[in-house]
Amino acid sequence: MPMLQTVLGELNVHMGREKIRELAKRKDMFAPGTDPDYGFLMEAHPQLISAWQELLKGMPLGIRTGLRAIIHHALSTSPPTQVTFAWAPNYDYEMTVWQAPDTKTTKGGITVLIKSRYPDDAHPIKG
């Protein structure tokens, strides 16, 4: 879905080299026990905020919690660890995560692949 790809692209901007240090100052927004409002990351694209929030509402809590925890961890490292997000269509919700560790010469990074149905494709258990 192009809209979800765009949303995750916006997250990539904020979790990338140029803006991650600024976002790290707000890492408490992603602390354990919080339910982050990602809207501030997409202020330039207000129509994307509702699309992202709808996707998040539909995700199982374990995946939402994992996503929040990954972001919080990445923002808590020194220096912050860059995260790359991607989306792919799928039958059900899925999140795949991999991390390249830091080395003596380079900082590693985390990649998060989120899979879901297209937003207009009703899930079978919702009738």
Side-chain angles (χ1 to χ4, degrees):
M1 161 111 208
M3 188 176 289
L4 294 177
Q5 194 64 48
T6 303
V7 167
L8 292 176
E10 287 297 313
L11 286 175
N12 286 336
V13 168
H14 291 278
M15 295 296 295
R17 185 183 73 240
E18 294 179 13
K19 291 192 174 187
I20 194 168
R21 288 183 191 272
E22 192 61 34
L23 184 58
K25 295 174 185 175
R26 301 172 81 172
K27 69 182 176 194
D28 290 342
M29 293 180 62
F30 301 95
T34 62
D35 188 14
D37 176 4
Y38 297 84
F40 78 97
L41 297 173
M42 294 168 252
E43 290 173 345
H45 305 282
Q47 74 281 10
L48 297 181
I49 295 171
S50 60
W52 176 245
Q53 290 170 336
E54 285 300 311
L55 176 67
L56 286 174
K57 276 196 284 184
M59 282 182 184
L61 182 57
I63 292 176
R64 286 197 322 258
T65 301
L67 180 64
R68 183 215 43 80
I70 291 163
I71 293 171
H72 185 258
H73 167 75
L75 296 176
S76 298
T77 61
S78 183
T81 302
Q82 292 181 38
V83 181
T84 303
F85 297 94
W87 175 82
N90 201 37
Y91 175 77
D92 220 338
Y93 291 97
E94 181 179 330
M95 183 170 68
T96 303
V97 180
W98 58 96
Q99 182 169 1
D102 296 347
T103 67
K104 291 179 183 178
T105 56
T106 61
K107 179 78 173 149
I110 300 170
T111 302
V112 178
L113 173 61
I114 296 173
K115 294 182 178 181
S116 70
R117 298 174 90 81
Y118 283 86
D120 294 339
D121 187 10
H123 195 282
I125 64 172
K126 292 183 180 179

